[in-house]
């Protein structure tokens, strides 16, 4: 399927599946699926995300992000989904499309069997979390459209309780460039900064010369000793910082627990945890968790993780990858039940293809549309 056909078919809300995947009946014979079949039809295409600015992290820099766009069709209704694959998560266009090619979702005549569909995906391969998330998001979009409601309503959440989102900036050695980056954050009520680089304190000082809005810090596993991590937490506590995310490598569990016991700031797990079973263990070394759909296999388990974390008395943060408004708006459905949101991934790319989440006065604003609430641009 070429891109033009994909987009045209999507825009028209086609009554026929955009691709007619081959599936196999019980006796092993190939059958072709068509629209209005009462079956789920999956189609997908790679879509490279182009970053507005190069992204500097503790361990690498990048200018594009691989991504796969997904559609799930059922009786003429189309749900949109997406897999975003930042390199450090170990998935690629090849691994995602390979996984999706193995799926035979046409075996599900009832799209509301979310649990069964997830169990089936987990039985096909144990990992491939972003690939599973793309199906899960498209499924939620589809189900919300069938029910005629957005997911925040289905979950019983008040959209006015959605938090402010942070906006991420990175250090620039050129003071003029650095000031321009800081000024670019003006519409946001929280600035997120990546640490674990050579200029951690200089970055905070540059920000504090321009603005006193709260910051939050993501060390991206970049601090290598518990003493340094704790010293940074104390220093950041004096700088109107809200929390510190993943201060040390995820393997340094005992050291992180040591810092958590002494830090004046909450310590949030990101790289440490992926899915629901990780939440309970995270509670021993972290004050909170950062939930991302590309880690959690999508909205279904993300919601369960948020519920469990709250039951354990933990803070909940909702993050995203560099991705289009499709996956970010899907995540935003959950935002009224979290403490902090970091939903700026769609703002970092130059080729978004959806209209969805809006940031109004710094606050996450969820569109009042069924499903995940996105429309193709
Ligand atoms: Mg992080």
């Amino acid at each position: 399927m070429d891109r033009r056909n994909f987009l045209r078919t999507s825009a028209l809300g086609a009554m026929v599946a955009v691709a007619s995947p081959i599936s196999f009946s019980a006796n092993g014979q190939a059958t072709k699926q068509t629209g209005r079949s009462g079956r789920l039809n999956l189609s997908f295409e790679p879509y490279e995300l182009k970053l507005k600015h190069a992204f500097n992290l503790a361990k690498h820099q990048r200018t594009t992000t691989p991504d796969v766009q997904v559609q799930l069709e059922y009786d003429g209704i189309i749900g949109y989904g997406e897999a975003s694959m930042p390199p450090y998560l170990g998935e690629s266009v090849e691994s995602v499309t390979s996984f999706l090619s193995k799926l035979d979702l046409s075996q599900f005549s009832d799209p509301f069997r979310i649990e069964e569909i997830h169990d089936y995906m987990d039985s096909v391969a144990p990992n491939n979390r972003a690939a599973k998330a793309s199906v899960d998001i498209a499924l939620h979009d589809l189900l919300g459209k069938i029910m005629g409601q957005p997911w925040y309503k289905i979950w019983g959440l008040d959209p006015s309780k959605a938090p402010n989102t942070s906006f991420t900036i990175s250090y620039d050695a050129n003071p003029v460039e650095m000031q321009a980056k800081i000024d670019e954050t003006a519409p946001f009520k929280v600035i997120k900064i990546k640490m674990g680089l050579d200029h951690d304190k200089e970055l905070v000082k540059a920000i504090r010369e321009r603005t006193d809005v709260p910051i939050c810090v993501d060390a991206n596993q970049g601090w290598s000793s518990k003493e340094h991590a704790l010293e940074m937490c104390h220093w950041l506590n004096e700088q109107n910082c809200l929390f510190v995310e993943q201060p040390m490598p995820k393997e340094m569990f005992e050291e992180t627990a040591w810092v958590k016991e002494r830090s004046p700031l909450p310590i949030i797990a990101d790289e440490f945890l992926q899915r629901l079973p990780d939440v309970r263990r995270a509670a021993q070394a972290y004050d909170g968790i950062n939930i991302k759909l590309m880690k959690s296999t999508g909205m279904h388990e993300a919601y369960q993780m948020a519920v469990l974390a709250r039951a354990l008395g933990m803070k909940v943060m909702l993050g995203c990858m560099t991705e289009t408004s499709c996956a970010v708006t899907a995540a935003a459905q959950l935002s009224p039940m979290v403490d902090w949101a970091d939903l700026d991934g769609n703002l970092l790319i130059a080729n978004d293809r959806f209209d969805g989440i809006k940031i109004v006065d710094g606050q996450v604003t969820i569109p009042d549309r069924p499903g995940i609430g996105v429309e193709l641009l």
Side-chain angles (χ1 to χ4, degrees):
M1 171 180 45
D2 67 28
R3 176 171 155 69
R4 180 175 296 173
N5 275 342
F6 180 95
L7 293 173
R8 182 189 298 140
T9 312
S10 310
L12 293 175
M15 301 301 285
V16 177
V18 289
S20 295
I22 301 293
S23 63
F24 293 88
S25 59
N27 63 9
Q29 285 194 319
T31 56
K32 202 161 195 179
Q33 297 300 312
T34 57
R36 288 216 170 277
S37 60
R39 303 279 174 190
L40 286 165
N41 293 307
L42 177 68
S43 59
F44 50 88
E45 65 163 6
Y47 185 73
E48 186 176 72
L49 305 177
K50 304 193 185 324
L51 305 190
K52 289 178 182 169
H53 307 290
F55 210 44
N56 298 307
L57 296 172
K59 294 183 177 173
H60 54 86
Q61 185 200 57
R62 64 177 201 262
T63 56
T64 62
T65 298
D67 185 279
V68 173
Q69 297 279 310
V70 166
Q71 292 189 11
L72 199 51
E73 183 270 350
Y74 182 86
D75 277 1
I77 301 173
I78 291 177
Y80 296 107
E82 170 176 25
S84 173
M85 293 84 70
Y88 60 89
L89 286 181
E91 288 182 76
S92 63
V93 168
E94 291 71 28
S95 70
V96 169
T97 55
S98 168
F99 177 83
L100 295 177
S101 298
K102 288 179 196 155
L103 297 180
D104 173 17
L105 297 181
S106 68
Q107 68 186 281
F108 296 99
S109 57
D110 181 355
F112 283 84
R113 301 280 176 90
I114 302 177
E115 285 280 354
E116 282 180 25
I117 291 170
H118 269 281
D119 287 348
Y120 165 66
M121 288 199 289
D122 282 338
S123 76
V124 170
N127 296 314
N128 298 93
R129 290 181 294 271
K132 290 170 185 171
S134 71
V135 175
D136 170 279
I137 293 167
L139 184 62
H140 279 75
D141 194 31
L142 177 70
L143 297 179
K145 285 172 176 170
I146 292 172
M147 291 186 276
Q149 298 293 340
W151 271 91
Y152 72 82
K153 277 195 185 176
I154 296 166
W155 281 329
L157 303 175
D158 176 356
S160 73
K161 296 207 170 115
N164 293 327
T165 185
S166 55
F167 184 77
T168 302
I169 58 171
S170 57
Y171 180 77
D172 196 307
N174 180 329
V176 177
E177 290 291 324
M178 189 69 245
Q179 286 187 4
K181 280 187 177 183
I182 297 166
D183 292 344
E184 199 181 327
T185 69
F188 297 88
K189 303 282 173 63
V190 183
I191 298 174
K192 178 170 173 174
I193 53 177
K194 302 285 189 179
M195 284 198 165
L197 298 164
D198 292 336
H199 307 282
D200 285 354
K201 289 189 177 178
E202 286 90 334
L203 175 55
V204 175
K205 287 172 184 167
I207 290 169
R208 283 291 166 259
E209 284 173 12
R210 305 289 288 182
T211 173
D212 58 1
V213 301
I215 57 171
C216 52
V217 164
D218 186 357
N220 279 112
Q221 314 186 75
W223 296 332
S224 54
S225 83
K226 62 183 183 182
E227 291 82 8
H228 177 60
L230 183 60
E231 187 256 313
M232 288 302 293
C233 289
H234 280 291
W235 185 78
L236 288 165
N237 190 42
E238 306 297 315
Q239 309 293 328
N240 194 15
C241 179
L242 299 174
F243 60 85
V244 172
E245 187 181 331
Q246 203 64 53
M248 286 180 287
K250 60 187 177 185
E251 296 80 11
M252 294 176 71
F253 186 78
E254 301 298 333
E255 292 87 346
T256 304
W258 184 91
V259 174
K260 175 203 167 199
E261 288 304 310
R262 293 160 179 80
S263 169
L265 293 175
I267 306 297
I268 308 299
D270 183 9
E271 285 85 348
F272 176 80
L273 98 168
Q274 310 284 340
R275 299 187 60 174
L276 182 61
D278 304 326
V279 176
R280 197 175 291 279
R281 184 162 153 77
Q284 298 166 26
Y286 297 85
D287 297 293
I289 60 170
N290 185 353
I291 299 171
K292 297 176 179 172
L293 300 189
M294 296 303 141
K295 299 193 299 180
S296 69
T297 70
M299 299 166 71
H300 185 60
E301 203 157 306
Y303 176 80
Q304 295 173 321
M305 291 172 76
V307 170
L308 176 56
R310 285 159 60 107
L312 292 169
M314 301 180 82
K315 294 285 189 186
V316 180
M317 173 184 178
L318 185 62
C320 63
M321 305 299 174
T322 305
E323 53 203 17
T324 73
S325 291
C326 177
V328 179
T329 310
Q333 301 290 329
L334 196 63
S335 63
M337 66 189 295
V338 309
D339 299 285
W340 303 298
D342 180 28
L343 295 177
D344 64 350
N346 57 324
L347 304 175
L348 308 178
I349 63 170
N351 58 340
D352 199 352
R353 55 196 295 269
F354 288 95
D355 177 73
I357 179 176
K358 295 281 182 289
I359 306 303
V360 180
D361 291 333
Q363 186 185 15
V364 172
T365 306
I366 312 169
D368 189 17
R369 299 183 191 129
I372 61 169
V374 297
E375 287 181 349
L376 273 173
L377 288 170

Short mmCIF file of all heavy atoms in Angstrom, two decimals, residues 192 194 218 220 245 270-271 290 292, ligand 1:
data_model
loop_
_atom_site.label_atom_id
_atom_site.label_comp_id
_atom_site.label_asym_id
_atom_site.label_seq_id
_atom_site.Cartn_x
_atom_site.Cartn_y
_atom_site.Cartn_z
N LYS A 192 11.07 20.53 31.54
CA LYS A 192 11.79 19.29 31.82
C LYS A 192 13.18 19.37 31.21
O LYS A 192 13.33 19.82 30.07
CB LYS A 192 11.04 18.10 31.24
CG LYS A 192 11.76 16.77 31.46
CD LYS A 192 10.88 15.58 31.09
CE LYS A 192 11.66 14.28 31.14
NZ LYS A 192 10.81 13.10 30.94
N LYS A 194 16.98 17.30 30.59
CA LYS A 194 17.71 16.05 30.58
C LYS A 194 19.06 16.30 31.24
O LYS A 194 19.79 17.20 30.84
CB LYS A 194 17.93 15.58 29.14
CG LYS A 194 16.65 15.39 28.37
CD LYS A 194 15.93 14.14 28.80
CE LYS A 194 14.77 13.83 27.86
NZ LYS A 194 14.07 12.61 28.26
N ASP A 218 15.21 14.75 34.32
CA ASP A 218 15.36 13.35 33.89
C ASP A 218 16.84 13.09 33.69
O ASP A 218 17.44 13.60 32.74
CB ASP A 218 14.58 13.11 32.60
CG ASP A 218 14.58 11.65 32.20
OD1 ASP A 218 15.24 10.84 32.90
OD2 ASP A 218 13.93 11.31 31.20
N ASN A 220 18.07 10.24 32.99
CA ASN A 220 18.25 9.19 31.97
C ASN A 220 19.36 8.20 32.33
O ASN A 220 20.18 7.85 31.48
CB ASN A 220 18.55 9.81 30.59
CG ASN A 220 17.29 10.28 29.88
OD1 ASN A 220 17.08 11.48 29.71
ND2 ASN A 220 16.44 9.34 29.49
N GLU A 245 13.83 11.99 37.72
CA GLU A 245 13.48 10.76 37.03
C GLU A 245 14.74 9.96 36.71
O GLU A 245 15.73 10.51 36.23
CB GLU A 245 12.75 11.16 35.73
CG GLU A 245 12.16 10.04 34.93
CD GLU A 245 11.50 10.60 33.66
OE1 GLU A 245 11.04 11.77 33.66
OE2 GLU A 245 11.48 9.88 32.67
N ASP A 270 11.75 5.32 35.30
CA ASP A 270 11.36 5.30 33.89
C ASP A 270 11.95 4.04 33.22
O ASP A 270 11.25 3.05 33.06
CB ASP A 270 11.82 6.58 33.17
CG ASP A 270 11.35 6.60 31.72
OD1 ASP A 270 10.56 5.73 31.34
OD2 ASP A 270 11.78 7.50 30.96
N GLU A 271 13.24 4.09 32.90
CA GLU A 271 13.84 2.92 32.24
C GLU A 271 13.73 1.67 33.09
O GLU A 271 13.74 0.55 32.57
CB GLU A 271 15.33 3.19 31.93
CG GLU A 271 15.56 4.14 30.76
CD GLU A 271 15.52 5.61 31.16
OE1 GLU A 271 15.08 5.92 32.29
OE2 GLU A 271 15.92 6.46 30.33
N ASN A 290 6.97 6.35 35.78
CA ASN A 290 6.65 7.04 34.54
C ASN A 290 6.06 6.01 33.57
O ASN A 290 6.75 5.11 33.11
CB ASN A 290 7.92 7.67 33.95
CG ASN A 290 7.63 8.52 32.72
OD1 ASN A 290 6.50 8.54 32.21
ND2 ASN A 290 8.65 9.22 32.25
N LYS A 292 4.52 4.95 30.05
CA LYS A 292 4.52 5.33 28.63
C LYS A 292 3.86 4.20 27.84
O LYS A 292 4.14 3.03 28.08
CB LYS A 292 5.95 5.53 28.12
CG LYS A 292 6.70 6.67 28.78
CD LYS A 292 8.13 6.73 28.28
CE LYS A 292 8.90 7.88 28.93
NZ LYS A 292 10.35 7.83 28.60
MG1 LIG B 1 12.79 9.40 31.12
#
